Amino acid sequence: MAKHRIYTTSFASVYPHYLAKAHKKGRTKEDVDEIIRWLTGYSQDDLATILDDGTDFETFFANAPRPNPARVQITGMICGVRIEEIEEPTMREIRILDKMIDELARGKAMEKILRAP
């Protein structure tokens, strides 16, 4: 099976789009980074390194130190596809992150985005 082109896209090239989407709705870089850290287990220093070194999406998710087990609670539609029906693990992780950033941009409370108990 051919890899989807986004897998080889650098995370740093898409990150500004996450920020722009959040900023348009009055949310901050810190909010975006908190979501990424929650989802992956990367530290803020790790995230800075990833943004500097051109890490691609596939490597970004494959090397995530502590993928949050609660990420399976992120469900619903994103880009016309139901997240829980995406079989390919990397694409599912990308779409979970997209969904969380969308929720942030829609003004959802951070506790709800992070599926806090």
Side-chain angles (χ1 to χ4, degrees), residues 19-36:
L19 295 179
K21 187 175 233 180
H23 286 153
K24 282 183 195 174
K25 299 296 182 166
R27 303 306 285 262
T28 66
K29 173 190 180 306
E30 289 75 21
D31 293 333
V32 172
D33 290 356
E34 182 177 356
I35 287 170
I36 294 167

Side-chain angles (χ1 to χ4, degrees), residues 23-94:
H23 286 153
K24 282 183 195 174
K25 299 296 182 166
R27 303 306 285 262
T28 66
K29 173 190 180 306
E30 289 75 21
D31 293 333
V32 172
D33 290 356
E34 182 177 356
I35 287 170
I36 294 167
R37 291 191 316 266
W38 178 91
L39 182 62
T40 62
Y42 285 116
S43 70
Q44 192 64 38
D45 287 342
D46 294 336
L47 184 53
T49 299
I50 287 163
L51 292 171
D52 286 341
D53 72 9
T55 299
D56 62 50
F57 268 95
E58 186 171 37
T59 304
F60 175 79
F61 284 110
N63 292 345
R66 288 174 311 286
N68 194 312
R71 72 192 187 286
V72 299
Q73 295 175 27
I74 314 294
T75 60
M77 299 289 284
I78 188 76
C79 300
V81 178
R82 185 156 291 286
I83 292 171
E84 55 273 27
E85 294 176 1
I86 299 171
E87 292 184 22
E88 205 292 311
T90 302
M91 184 56 71
R92 186 172 43 250
E93 297 295 335
I94 291 168

